[in-house]
Amino acid sequence: MTRRSVFFISDGTGITAETLGHSLLSQFDTVEFEEQTLPYVDSAEKALAAVQAINERAHIDEARPIVIDTIIAPELRSILRTANAFRLDVFDAFVGSLEQELSQHSANTVGKSHAIVSESTYGTRIDAVHFALDNDDGARTRHYDRADLILIGVSRSGKTPTSIYMALQFGIHVANYPLTEEDLVDMNLPAVLRPFKKKLFGLTIEPQRLAAIRHQRKPDSRYATLRQCEQEIRAATAIYNREGIHYVDSTHLSIEEISTKILAMMGLKRRLV
Amino acid sequence: MTRRSVFFISDGTGITAETLGHSLLSQFDTVEFEEQTLPYVDSAEKALAAVQAINERAHIDEARPIVIDTIIAPELRSILRTANAFRLDVFDAFVGSLEQELSQHSANTVGKSHAIVSESTYGTRIDAVHFALDNDDGARTRHYDRADLILIGVSRSGKTPTSIYMALQFGIHVANYPLTEEDLVDMNLPAVLRPFKKKLFGLTIEPQRLAAIRHQRKPDSRYATLRQCEQEIRAATAIYNREGIHYVDSTHLSIEEISTKILAMMGLKRRLV
């Protein structure tokens, strides 16, 4: 397998360069990429240090590193251009043509995109995170009227990480409620959820995978047996189907995929842009 | 202010298109962008529906929408190309030159970048989220030996959202511990934290902002008075300085910025790529 070093360089967090970079590099699965991020490169000194790091890497690797950068300041871009690298320049590729289309000059402001937007946006996000935490795992049910979404599923089907991700990224209020063995035995939707049926979304997962996850948590417990997992999943899915509750199988999906699918399937509007 | 509609279109979650798009559009602050994401456009039917939505928007706006897309399949790209839009084609811009540099053809696989990577990566991430939740707000202190990082700060300085974000995005184990009034009165680092001094990182925040946040939570309480906030922040900062604990002021930073700064300042390695 070929190996290539990759630098994501940014005057801000580096998130845009990383996200785009992963997306592009995932197209080349016969190359092994060794990635590093250099965030907050916002001065000539730091840009020169980045060039030095790149050049050292080029020397060690005997191949020029790949640089994906979102630096905006022209003077820093000139410095980066001197590195011994194959450089994908995100702003060069797009900002010029956008300026033309919008008949506007770009602001050339450093590190804007993941900077705090406004106090109200920040507040929305923090509120959503605290809502998700306070209403995690059925801990409290009295605020379901304020929820945008209530995730349901058996233990360890992915409810908590999904709730938190959706709160952080979309700013929506997500509660989650575990379907327990008792709920599943009589195959009834818990009474506390009934009034909020339109807000419910189910998670399911392949029994083998669930058993493996549970086994890590409580080795050799009944809770982690394949038989127990199969029964619970079968009962949960039966409830979803009978009650007309949308659901997805989380087994082969990332948290990002689960979350964006839920947003689309439930027709939910984000509270954050 | 000019208004322009924007479509982020993807065969996967849409996260790459959104992230890049926000980054580019944030450069044009005299234009008001009305954004929408069309994720999972992975069939000719869905691509045609996207074209229709774009064309309707163009008609209503009397200006062609801006389309930022990361679609990979050639046949879907041809369909999108027929829309009445100004289109930034991410893969066109970069994949060809990467293919040349790497002497490899791209895999042309749909929606790869935010798909689940492997069960072990997934496990690392979920473990980190549960670690952050279980060790939130000083709830438990007996697992600090397993923590990569322990965030400290006064109530509502941003510890919890930062812990969770770092767990989700970097897969690292982050605990957080609140500096309470008692800790602050004698200006001593709590004894339980002493053995883990190298893992500590402090958050601080401007007293005015803190008072506003606390006021939302507990209106008109002593907890939310400016005087109380000033005292707590002054004492916390004095502890950080005396003990040589790194810290940042979270007031004007987004969660992404706080998190990436901490990672850099503490020299922490991500457990997720």
Side-chain angles (χ1 to χ4, degrees), chain A residues 4 18 27 30 40 64 101 104 107 114 254 270, chain B residues 4 18 27 30 64 101 104 107 114 254 270:
Chain A
R4 291 294 289 268
E18 285 174 1
Q27 292 298 308
T30 60
Y40 303 107
R64 57 182 184 169
E101 174 70 16
Q104 298 269 348
H114 290 93
S254 67
R270 315 172 181 218
Chain B
R4 292 295 288 265
E18 285 174 0
Q27 292 299 309
T30 59
R64 57 182 184 170
E101 175 69 16
Q104 299 268 349
H114 291 93
S254 66
R270 314 171 183 220

mmCIF file with all atom_site columns, all heavy atoms in Angstrom, chain A residues 4 18 27 30 40 64 101 104 107 114 254 270, chain B residues 4 18 27 30 64 101 104 107 114 254 270:
data_model
loop_
_atom_site.group_PDB
_atom_site.id
_atom_site.type_symbol
_atom_site.label_atom_id
_atom_site.label_alt_id
_atom_site.label_comp_id
_atom_site.label_asym_id
_atom_site.label_entity_id
_atom_site.label_seq_id
_atom_site.pdbx_PDB_ins_code
_atom_site.Cartn_x
_atom_site.Cartn_y
_atom_site.Cartn_z
_atom_site.occupancy
_atom_site.B_iso_or_equiv
_atom_site.pdbx_formal_charge
_atom_site.auth_seq_id
_atom_site.auth_comp_id
_atom_site.auth_asym_id
_atom_site.auth_atom_id
_atom_site.pdbx_PDB_model_num
ATOM 1   N N   . ARG A 1 4   ? 0.998   8.165  2.074   1.00 0.00 ? 4   ARG A N   1
ATOM 2   C CA  . ARG A 1 4   ? 1.232   9.590  1.818   1.00 0.00 ? 4   ARG A CA  1
ATOM 3   C C   . ARG A 1 4   ? 0.838   10.398 3.045   1.00 0.00 ? 4   ARG A C   1
ATOM 4   O O   . ARG A 1 4   ? -0.180  10.119 3.691   1.00 0.00 ? 4   ARG A O   1
ATOM 5   C CB  . ARG A 1 4   ? 0.373   10.061 0.614   1.00 0.00 ? 4   ARG A CB  1
ATOM 6   C CG  . ARG A 1 4   ? 0.816   9.483  -0.724  1.00 0.00 ? 4   ARG A CG  1
ATOM 7   C CD  . ARG A 1 4   ? 2.181   9.963  -1.162  1.00 0.00 ? 4   ARG A CD  1
ATOM 8   N NE  . ARG A 1 4   ? 2.223   11.340 -1.577  1.00 0.00 ? 4   ARG A NE  1
ATOM 9   C CZ  . ARG A 1 4   ? 2.053   11.738 -2.839  1.00 0.00 ? 4   ARG A CZ  1
ATOM 10  N NH1 . ARG A 1 4   ? 1.823   10.853 -3.802  1.00 0.00 ? 4   ARG A NH1 1
ATOM 11  N NH2 . ARG A 1 4   ? 2.128   13.018 -3.153  1.00 0.00 ? 4   ARG A NH2 1
ATOM 12  N N   . GLU A 1 18  ? -10.455 19.490 7.198   1.00 0.00 ? 18  GLU A N   1
ATOM 13  C CA  . GLU A 1 18  ? -10.530 18.064 7.541   1.00 0.00 ? 18  GLU A CA  1
ATOM 14  C C   . GLU A 1 18  ? -11.732 17.388 6.890   1.00 0.00 ? 18  GLU A C   1
ATOM 15  O O   . GLU A 1 18  ? -11.635 16.296 6.354   1.00 0.00 ? 18  GLU A O   1
ATOM 16  C CB  . GLU A 1 18  ? -10.679 17.882 9.058   1.00 0.00 ? 18  GLU A CB  1
ATOM 17  C CG  . GLU A 1 18  ? -9.422  18.126 9.843   1.00 0.00 ? 18  GLU A CG  1
ATOM 18  C CD  . GLU A 1 18  ? -9.687  18.068 11.349  1.00 0.00 ? 18  GLU A CD  1
ATOM 19  O OE1 . GLU A 1 18  ? -10.848 17.812 11.747  1.00 0.00 ? 18  GLU A OE1 1
ATOM 20  O OE2 . GLU A 1 18  ? -8.745  18.283 12.114  1.00 0.00 ? 18  GLU A OE2 1
ATOM 21  N N   . GLN A 1 27  ? -12.000 8.573  -1.306  1.00 0.00 ? 27  GLN A N   1
ATOM 22  C CA  . GLN A 1 27  ? -12.143 8.039  -2.659  1.00 0.00 ? 27  GLN A CA  1
ATOM 23  C C   . GLN A 1 27  ? -10.932 7.214  -3.101  1.00 0.00 ? 27  GLN A C   1
ATOM 24  O O   . GLN A 1 27  ? -10.964 6.578  -4.140  1.00 0.00 ? 27  GLN A O   1
ATOM 25  C CB  . GLN A 1 27  ? -12.333 9.198  -3.659  1.00 0.00 ? 27  GLN A CB  1
ATOM 26  C CG  . GLN A 1 27  ? -13.648 9.928  -3.496  1.00 0.00 ? 27  GLN A CG  1
ATOM 27  C CD  . GLN A 1 27  ? -14.809 9.007  -3.744  1.00 0.00 ? 27  GLN A CD  1
ATOM 28  O OE1 . GLN A 1 27  ? -14.872 8.330  -4.771  1.00 0.00 ? 27  GLN A OE1 1
ATOM 29  N NE2 . GLN A 1 27  ? -15.731 8.926  -2.800  1.00 0.00 ? 27  GLN A NE2 1
ATOM 30  N N   . THR A 1 30  ? -6.758  2.675  -1.872  1.00 0.00 ? 30  THR A N   1
ATOM 31  C CA  . THR A 1 30  ? -5.534  1.862  -1.927  1.00 0.00 ? 30  THR A CA  1
ATOM 32  C C   . THR A 1 30  ? -4.332  2.655  -1.428  1.00 0.00 ? 30  THR A C   1
ATOM 33  O O   . THR A 1 30  ? -3.206  2.174  -1.480  1.00 0.00 ? 30  THR A O   1
ATOM 34  C CB  . THR A 1 30  ? -5.257  1.372  -3.366  1.00 0.00 ? 30  THR A CB  1
ATOM 35  O OG1 . THR A 1 30  ? -5.111  2.520  -4.204  1.00 0.00 ? 30  THR A OG1 1
ATOM 36  C CG2 . THR A 1 30  ? -6.393  0.510  -3.868  1.00 0.00 ? 30  THR A CG2 1
ATOM 37  N N   . TYR A 1 40  ? -5.289  27.067 13.478  1.00 0.00 ? 40  TYR A N   1
ATOM 38  C CA  . TYR A 1 40  ? -4.915  28.410 13.947  1.00 0.00 ? 40  TYR A CA  1
ATOM 39  C C   . TYR A 1 40  ? -3.583  28.904 13.371  1.00 0.00 ? 40  TYR A C   1
ATOM 40  O O   . TYR A 1 40  ? -2.787  29.525 14.064  1.00 0.00 ? 40  TYR A O   1
ATOM 41  C CB  . TYR A 1 40  ? -4.909  28.458 15.484  1.00 0.00 ? 40  TYR A CB  1
ATOM 42  C CG  . TYR A 1 40  ? -6.267  28.063 16.025  1.00 0.00 ? 40  TYR A CG  1
ATOM 43  C CD1 . TYR A 1 40  ? -6.469  26.844 16.642  1.00 0.00 ? 40  TYR A CD1 1
ATOM 44  C CD2 . TYR A 1 40  ? -7.365  28.915 15.848  1.00 0.00 ? 40  TYR A CD2 1
ATOM 45  C CE1 . TYR A 1 40  ? -7.737  26.464 17.083  1.00 0.00 ? 40  TYR A CE1 1
ATOM 46  C CE2 . TYR A 1 40  ? -8.629  28.539 16.290  1.00 0.00 ? 40  TYR A CE2 1
ATOM 47  C CZ  . TYR A 1 40  ? -8.804  27.319 16.907  1.00 0.00 ? 40  TYR A CZ  1
ATOM 48  O OH  . TYR A 1 40  ? -10.049 26.951 17.335  1.00 0.00 ? 40  TYR A OH  1
ATOM 49  N N   . ARG A 1 64  ? 6.172   14.156 -1.833  1.00 0.00 ? 64  ARG A N   1
ATOM 50  C CA  . ARG A 1 64  ? 5.675   15.413 -1.273  1.00 0.00 ? 64  ARG A CA  1
ATOM 51  C C   . ARG A 1 64  ? 4.333   15.191 -0.575  1.00 0.00 ? 64  ARG A C   1
ATOM 52  O O   . ARG A 1 64  ? 3.478   14.463 -1.094  1.00 0.00 ? 64  ARG A O   1
ATOM 53  C CB  . ARG A 1 64  ? 5.563   16.497 -2.349  1.00 0.00 ? 64  ARG A CB  1
ATOM 54  C CG  . ARG A 1 64  ? 4.688   16.139 -3.541  1.00 0.00 ? 64  ARG A CG  1
ATOM 55  C CD  . ARG A 1 64  ? 4.702   17.275 -4.551  1.00 0.00 ? 64  ARG A CD  1
ATOM 56  N NE  . ARG A 1 64  ? 3.803   16.990 -5.667  1.00 0.00 ? 64  ARG A NE  1
ATOM 57  C CZ  . ARG A 1 64  ? 3.461   17.874 -6.586  1.00 0.00 ? 64  ARG A CZ  1
ATOM 58  N NH1 . ARG A 1 64  ? 3.938   19.105 -6.540  1.00 0.00 ? 64  ARG A NH1 1
ATOM 59  N NH2 . ARG A 1 64  ? 2.638   17.537 -7.566  1.00 0.00 ? 64  ARG A NH2 1
ATOM 60  N N   . GLU A 1 101 ? -20.165 35.494 -9.215  1.00 0.00 ? 101 GLU A N   1
ATOM 61  C CA  . GLU A 1 101 ? -21.588 35.168 -9.219  1.00 0.00 ? 101 GLU A CA  1
ATOM 62  C C   . GLU A 1 101 ? -22.369 36.130 -8.329  1.00 0.00 ? 101 GLU A C   1
ATOM 63  O O   . GLU A 1 101 ? -23.486 36.524 -8.642  1.00 0.00 ? 101 GLU A O   1
ATOM 64  C CB  . GLU A 1 101 ? -21.799 33.728 -8.737  1.00 0.00 ? 101 GLU A CB  1
ATOM 65  C CG  . GLU A 1 101 ? -23.244 33.301 -8.549  1.00 0.00 ? 101 GLU A CG  1
ATOM 66  C CD  . GLU A 1 101 ? -24.010 33.156 -9.861  1.00 0.00 ? 101 GLU A CD  1
ATOM 67  O OE1 . GLU A 1 101 ? -23.365 33.080 -10.926 1.00 0.00 ? 101 GLU A OE1 1
ATOM 68  O OE2 . GLU A 1 101 ? -25.262 33.142 -9.827  1.00 0.00 ? 101 GLU A OE2 1
ATOM 69  N N   . GLN A 1 104 ? -19.766 40.473 -5.540  1.00 0.00 ? 104 GLN A N   1
ATOM 70  C CA  . GLN A 1 104 ? -19.342 40.969 -4.232  1.00 0.00 ? 104 GLN A CA  1
ATOM 71  C C   . GLN A 1 104 ? -17.908 40.537 -4.026  1.00 0.00 ? 104 GLN A C   1
ATOM 72  O O   . GLN A 1 104 ? -17.528 39.445 -4.452  1.00 0.00 ? 104 GLN A O   1
ATOM 73  C CB  . GLN A 1 104 ? -20.138 40.267 -3.118  1.00 0.00 ? 104 GLN A CB  1
ATOM 74  C CG  . GLN A 1 104 ? -21.607 40.486 -3.143  1.00 0.00 ? 104 GLN A CG  1
ATOM 75  C CD  . GLN A 1 104 ? -22.013 41.678 -2.315  1.00 0.00 ? 104 GLN A CD  1
ATOM 76  O OE1 . GLN A 1 104 ? -21.197 42.197 -1.547  1.00 0.00 ? 104 GLN A OE1 1
ATOM 77  N NE2 . GLN A 1 104 ? -23.236 42.125 -2.477  1.00 0.00 ? 104 GLN A NE2 1
ATOM 78  N N   . ALA A 1 107 ? -14.925 38.798 2.115   1.00 0.00 ? 107 ALA A N   1
ATOM 79  C CA  . ALA A 1 107 ? -14.498 39.615 3.252   1.00 0.00 ? 107 ALA A CA  1
ATOM 80  C C   . ALA A 1 107 ? -13.046 39.367 3.648   1.00 0.00 ? 107 ALA A C   1
ATOM 81  O O   . ALA A 1 107 ? -12.445 40.159 4.359   1.00 0.00 ? 107 ALA A O   1
ATOM 82  C CB  . ALA A 1 107 ? -15.409 39.355 4.444   1.00 0.00 ? 107 ALA A CB  1
ATOM 83  N N   . HIS A 1 114 ? -16.216 28.524 11.652  1.00 0.00 ? 114 HIS A N   1
ATOM 84  C CA  . HIS A 1 114 ? -16.586 27.822 12.879  1.00 0.00 ? 114 HIS A CA  1
ATOM 85  C C   . HIS A 1 114 ? -16.446 28.709 14.104  1.00 0.00 ? 114 HIS A C   1
ATOM 86  O O   . HIS A 1 114 ? -16.349 28.245 15.225  1.00 0.00 ? 114 HIS A O   1
ATOM 87  C CB  . HIS A 1 114 ? -15.804 26.523 13.034  1.00 0.00 ? 114 HIS A CB  1
ATOM 88  C CG  . HIS A 1 114 ? -16.226 25.512 12.026  1.00 0.00 ? 114 HIS A CG  1
ATOM 89  N ND1 . HIS A 1 114 ? -15.591 25.381 10.816  1.00 0.00 ? 114 HIS A ND1 1
ATOM 90  C CD2 . HIS A 1 114 ? -17.251 24.644 12.005  1.00 0.00 ? 114 HIS A CD2 1
ATOM 91  C CE1 . HIS A 1 114 ? -16.200 24.445 10.120  1.00 0.00 ? 114 HIS A CE1 1
ATOM 92  N NE2 . HIS A 1 114 ? -17.207 23.976 10.808  1.00 0.00 ? 114 HIS A NE2 1
ATOM 93  N N   . SER A 1 254 ? -23.147 5.477  10.613  1.00 0.00 ? 254 SER A N   1
ATOM 94  C CA  . SER A 1 254 ? -22.440 6.328  11.571  1.00 0.00 ? 254 SER A CA  1
ATOM 95  C C   . SER A 1 254 ? -23.463 7.206  12.288  1.00 0.00 ? 254 SER A C   1
ATOM 96  O O   . SER A 1 254 ? -24.618 7.328  11.848  1.00 0.00 ? 254 SER A O   1
ATOM 97  C CB  . SER A 1 254 ? -21.435 7.202  10.847  1.00 0.00 ? 254 SER A CB  1
ATOM 98  O OG  . SER A 1 254 ? -22.114 8.131  10.025  1.00 0.00 ? 254 SER A OG  1
ATOM 99  N N   . ARG A 1 270 ? -33.900 22.295 11.441  1.00 0.00 ? 270 ARG A N   1
ATOM 100 C CA  . ARG A 1 270 ? -32.802 22.608 12.361  1.00 0.00 ? 270 ARG A CA  1
ATOM 101 C C   . ARG A 1 270 ? -33.045 23.958 13.016  1.00 0.00 ? 270 ARG A C   1
ATOM 102 O O   . ARG A 1 270 ? -33.605 24.854 12.402  1.00 0.00 ? 270 ARG A O   1
ATOM 103 C CB  . ARG A 1 270 ? -31.481 22.770 11.607  1.00 0.00 ? 270 ARG A CB  1
ATOM 104 C CG  . ARG A 1 270 ? -31.268 21.722 10.624  1.00 0.00 ? 270 ARG A CG  1
ATOM 105 C CD  . ARG A 1 270 ? -30.060 22.033 9.781   1.00 0.00 ? 270 ARG A CD  1
ATOM 106 N NE  . ARG A 1 270 ? -29.948 20.944 8.829   1.00 0.00 ? 270 ARG A NE  1
ATOM 107 C CZ  . ARG A 1 270 ? -28.822 20.411 8.432   1.00 0.00 ? 270 ARG A CZ  1
ATOM 108 N NH1 . ARG A 1 270 ? -27.692 20.918 8.849   1.00 0.00 ? 270 ARG A NH1 1
ATOM 109 N NH2 . ARG A 1 270 ? -28.808 19.409 7.592   1.00 0.00 ? 270 ARG A NH2 1
ATOM 110 N N   . ARG B 1 4   ? -29.975 35.145 -1.512  1.00 0.00 ? 4   ARG B N   1
ATOM 111 C CA  . ARG B 1 4   ? -29.755 34.067 -2.475  1.00 0.00 ? 4   ARG B CA  1
ATOM 112 C C   . ARG B 1 4   ? -30.060 32.728 -1.820  1.00 0.00 ? 4   ARG B C   1
ATOM 113 O O   . ARG B 1 4   ? -29.684 32.492 -0.667  1.00 0.00 ? 4   ARG B O   1
ATOM 114 C CB  . ARG B 1 4   ? -28.291 34.058 -2.970  1.00 0.00 ? 4   ARG B CB  1
ATOM 115 C CG  . ARG B 1 4   ? -27.911 35.251 -3.836  1.00 0.00 ? 4   ARG B CG  1
ATOM 116 C CD  . ARG B 1 4   ? -28.660 35.281 -5.160  1.00 0.00 ? 4   ARG B CD  1
ATOM 117 N NE  . ARG B 1 4   ? -28.211 34.277 -6.084  1.00 0.00 ? 4   ARG B NE  1
ATOM 118 C CZ  . ARG B 1 4   ? -27.286 34.503 -7.028  1.00 0.00 ? 4   ARG B CZ  1
ATOM 119 N NH1 . ARG B 1 4   ? -26.730 35.694 -7.155  1.00 0.00 ? 4   ARG B NH1 1
ATOM 120 N NH2 . ARG B 1 4   ? -26.933 33.542 -7.847  1.00 0.00 ? 4   ARG B NH2 1
ATOM 121 N N   . GLU B 1 18  ? -22.143 20.988 3.394   1.00 0.00 ? 18  GLU B N   1
ATOM 122 C CA  . GLU B 1 18  ? -22.543 22.050 4.328   1.00 0.00 ? 18  GLU B CA  1
ATOM 123 C C   . GLU B 1 18  ? -21.323 22.738 4.942   1.00 0.00 ? 18  GLU B C   1
ATOM 124 O O   . GLU B 1 18  ? -21.268 23.964 5.043   1.00 0.00 ? 18  GLU B O   1
ATOM 125 C CB  . GLU B 1 18  ? -23.352 21.472 5.494   1.00 0.00 ? 18  GLU B CB  1
ATOM 126 C CG  . GLU B 1 18  ? -24.760 21.090 5.131   1.00 0.00 ? 18  GLU B CG  1
ATOM 127 C CD  . GLU B 1 18  ? -25.459 20.394 6.310   1.00 0.00 ? 18  GLU B CD  1
ATOM 128 O OE1 . GLU B 1 18  ? -24.844 20.215 7.382   1.00 0.00 ? 18  GLU B OE1 1
ATOM 129 O OE2 . GLU B 1 18  ? -26.632 20.017 6.142   1.00 0.00 ? 18  GLU B OE2 1
ATOM 130 N N   . GLN B 1 27  ? -17.707 34.174 3.832   1.00 0.00 ? 27  GLN B N   1
ATOM 131 C CA  . GLN B 1 27  ? -16.868 35.244 3.278   1.00 0.00 ? 27  GLN B CA  1
ATOM 132 C C   . GLN B 1 27  ? -17.698 36.364 2.662   1.00 0.00 ? 27  GLN B C   1
ATOM 133 O O   . GLN B 1 27  ? -17.161 37.401 2.284   1.00 0.00 ? 27  GLN B O   1
ATOM 134 C CB  . GLN B 1 27  ? -15.938 34.672 2.205   1.00 0.00 ? 27  GLN B CB  1
ATOM 135 C CG  . GLN B 1 27  ? -14.877 33.736 2.756   1.00 0.00 ? 27  GLN B CG  1
ATOM 136 C CD  . GLN B 1 27  ? -13.976 34.461 3.736   1.00 0.00 ? 27  GLN B CD  1
ATOM 137 O OE1 . GLN B 1 27  ? -13.439 35.516 3.440   1.00 0.00 ? 27  GLN B OE1 1
ATOM 138 N NE2 . GLN B 1 27  ? -13.864 33.915 4.933   1.00 0.00 ? 27  GLN B NE2 1
ATOM 139 N N   . THR B 1 30  ? -22.449 40.443 3.095   1.00 0.00 ? 30  THR B N   1
ATOM 140 C CA  . THR B 1 30  ? -23.499 41.386 2.702   1.00 0.00 ? 30  THR B CA  1
ATOM 141 C C   . THR B 1 30  ? -24.619 40.666 1.950   1.00 0.00 ? 30  THR B C   1
ATOM 142 O O   . THR B 1 30  ? -25.559 41.292 1.477   1.00 0.00 ? 30  THR B O   1
ATOM 143 C CB  . THR B 1 30  ? -22.943 42.517 1.820   1.00 0.00 ? 30  THR B CB  1
ATOM 144 O OG1 . THR B 1 30  ? -22.360 41.919 0.655   1.00 0.00 ? 30  THR B OG1 1
ATOM 145 C CG2 . THR B 1 30  ? -21.893 43.317 2.553   1.00 0.00 ? 30  THR B CG2 1
ATOM 146 N N   . ARG B 1 64  ? -30.685 32.626 -9.952  1.00 0.00 ? 64  ARG B N   1
ATOM 147 C CA  . ARG B 1 64  ? -30.423 31.185 -9.864  1.00 0.00 ? 64  ARG B CA  1
ATOM 148 C C   . ARG B 1 64  ? -29.815 30.833 -8.512  1.00 0.00 ? 64  ARG B C   1
ATOM 149 O O   . ARG B 1 64  ? -28.962 31.552 -7.985  1.00 0.00 ? 64  ARG B O   1
ATOM 150 C CB  . ARG B 1 64  ? -29.523 30.727 -11.005 1.00 0.00 ? 64  ARG B CB  1
ATOM 151 C CG  . ARG B 1 64  ? -28.193 31.444 -11.093 1.00 0.00 ? 64  ARG B CG  1
ATOM 152 C CD  . ARG B 1 64  ? -27.398 30.930 -12.291 1.00 0.00 ? 64  ARG B CD  1
ATOM 153 N NE  . ARG B 1 64  ? -26.074 31.548 -12.328 1.00 0.00 ? 64  ARG B NE  1
ATOM 154 C CZ  . ARG B 1 64  ? -25.107 31.152 -13.130 1.00 0.00 ? 64  ARG B CZ  1
ATOM 155 N NH1 . ARG B 1 64  ? -25.300 30.151 -13.981 1.00 0.00 ? 64  ARG B NH1 1
ATOM 156 N NH2 . ARG B 1 64  ? -23.934 31.746 -13.108 1.00 0.00 ? 64  ARG B NH2 1
ATOM 157 N N   . GLU B 1 101 ? -2.035  13.104 -8.987  1.00 0.00 ? 101 GLU B N   1
ATOM 158 C CA  . GLU B 1 101 ? -0.975  13.132 -7.978  1.00 0.00 ? 101 GLU B CA  1
ATOM 159 C C   . GLU B 1 101 ? -0.732  11.748 -7.389  1.00 0.00 ? 101 GLU B C   1
ATOM 160 O O   . GLU B 1 101 ? 0.397   11.367 -7.114  1.00 0.00 ? 101 GLU B O   1
ATOM 161 C CB  . GLU B 1 101 ? -1.346  14.133 -6.866  1.00 0.00 ? 101 GLU B CB  1
ATOM 162 C CG  . GLU B 1 101 ? -0.396  14.177 -5.689  1.00 0.00 ? 101 GLU B CG  1
ATOM 163 C CD  . GLU B 1 101 ? 0.973   14.777 -6.016  1.00 0.00 ? 101 GLU B CD  1
ATOM 164 O OE1 . GLU B 1 101 ? 1.081   15.438 -7.076  1.00 0.00 ? 101 GLU B OE1 1
ATOM 165 O OE2 . GLU B 1 101 ? 1.920   14.583 -5.235  1.00 0.00 ? 101 GLU B OE2 1
ATOM 166 N N   . GLN B 1 104 ? -3.703  7.109  -9.141  1.00 0.00 ? 104 GLN B N   1
ATOM 167 C CA  . GLN B 1 104 ? -4.746  6.148  -8.765  1.00 0.00 ? 104 GLN B CA  1
ATOM 168 C C   . GLN B 1 104 ? -6.073  6.679  -9.281  1.00 0.00 ? 104 GLN B C   1
ATOM 169 O O   . GLN B 1 104 ? -6.266  7.891  -9.298  1.00 0.00 ? 104 GLN B O   1
ATOM 170 C CB  . GLN B 1 104 ? -4.907  6.102  -7.230  1.00 0.00 ? 104 GLN B CB  1
ATOM 171 C CG  . GLN B 1 104 ? -3.697  5.673  -6.475  1.00 0.00 ? 104 GLN B CG  1
ATOM 172 C CD  . GLN B 1 104 ? -3.686  4.188  -6.239  1.00 0.00 ? 104 GLN B CD  1
ATOM 173 O OE1 . GLN B 1 104 ? -4.694  3.524  -6.478  1.00 0.00 ? 104 GLN B OE1 1
ATOM 174 N NE2 . GLN B 1 104 ? -2.557  3.677  -5.819  1.00 0.00 ? 104 GLN B NE2 1
ATOM 175 N N   . ALA B 1 107 ? -12.386 5.821  -6.243  1.00 0.00 ? 107 ALA B N   1
ATOM 176 C CA  . ALA B 1 107 ? -13.261 4.660  -6.141  1.00 0.00 ? 107 ALA B CA  1
ATOM 177 C C   . ALA B 1 107 ? -14.671 4.950  -6.646  1.00 0.00 ? 107 ALA B C   1
ATOM 178 O O   . ALA B 1 107 ? -15.437 4.041  -6.903  1.00 0.00 ? 107 ALA B O   1
ATOM 179 C CB  . ALA B 1 107 ? -13.307 4.180  -4.691  1.00 0.00 ? 107 ALA B CB  1
ATOM 180 N N   . HIS B 1 114 ? -18.740 10.106 5.560   1.00 0.00 ? 114 HIS B N   1
ATOM 181 C CA  . HIS B 1 114 ? -19.298 10.083 6.902   1.00 0.00 ? 114 HIS B CA  1
ATOM 182 C C   . HIS B 1 114 ? -20.006 8.769  7.206   1.00 0.00 ? 114 HIS B C   1
ATOM 183 O O   . HIS B 1 114 ? -20.817 8.678  8.105   1.00 0.00 ? 114 HIS B O   1
ATOM 184 C CB  . HIS B 1 114 ? -20.220 11.277 7.145   1.00 0.00 ? 114 HIS B CB  1
ATOM 185 C CG  . HIS B 1 114 ? -19.451 12.554 7.207   1.00 0.00 ? 114 HIS B CG  1
ATOM 186 N ND1 . HIS B 1 114 ? -19.258 13.331 6.110   1.00 0.00 ? 114 HIS B ND1 1
ATOM 187 C CD2 . HIS B 1 114 ? -18.771 13.139 8.208   1.00 0.00 ? 114 HIS B CD2 1
ATOM 188 C CE1 . HIS B 1 114 ? -18.505 14.377 6.446   1.00 0.00 ? 114 HIS B CE1 1
ATOM 189 N NE2 . HIS B 1 114 ? -18.204 14.279 7.709   1.00 0.00 ? 114 HIS B NE2 1
ATOM 190 N N   . SER B 1 254 ? -16.563 29.495 19.708  1.00 0.00 ? 254 SER B N   1
ATOM 191 C CA  . SER B 1 254 ? -17.550 28.428 19.524  1.00 0.00 ? 254 SER B CA  1
ATOM 192 C C   . SER B 1 254 ? -17.028 27.164 20.204  1.00 0.00 ? 254 SER B C   1
ATOM 193 O O   . SER B 1 254 ? -15.847 27.071 20.553  1.00 0.00 ? 254 SER B O   1
ATOM 194 C CB  . SER B 1 254 ? -17.752 28.155 18.037  1.00 0.00 ? 254 SER B CB  1
ATOM 195 O OG  . SER B 1 254 ? -16.573 27.619 17.484  1.00 0.00 ? 254 SER B OG  1
ATOM 196 N N   . ARG B 1 270 ? -5.831  12.672 18.989  1.00 0.00 ? 270 ARG B N   1
ATOM 197 C CA  . ARG B 1 270 ? -7.175  12.142 18.787  1.00 0.00 ? 270 ARG B CA  1
ATOM 198 C C   . ARG B 1 270 ? -7.151  10.632 18.748  1.00 0.00 ? 270 ARG B C   1
ATOM 199 O O   . ARG B 1 270 ? -6.192  10.042 18.294  1.00 0.00 ? 270 ARG B O   1
ATOM 200 C CB  . ARG B 1 270 ? -7.728  12.575 17.414  1.00 0.00 ? 270 ARG B CB  1
ATOM 201 C CG  . ARG B 1 270 ? -7.521  13.979 17.128  1.00 0.00 ? 270 ARG B CG  1
ATOM 202 C CD  . ARG B 1 270 ? -7.874  14.273 15.691  1.00 0.00 ? 270 ARG B CD  1
ATOM 203 N NE  . ARG B 1 270 ? -7.560  15.676 15.488  1.00 0.00 ? 270 ARG B NE  1
ATOM 204 C CZ  . ARG B 1 270 ? -8.289  16.512 14.783  1.00 0.00 ? 270 ARG B CZ  1
ATOM 205 N NH1 . ARG B 1 270 ? -9.340  16.072 14.126  1.00 0.00 ? 270 ARG B NH1 1
ATOM 206 N NH2 . ARG B 1 270 ? -7.957  17.770 14.695  1.00 0.00 ? 270 ARG B NH2 1
#
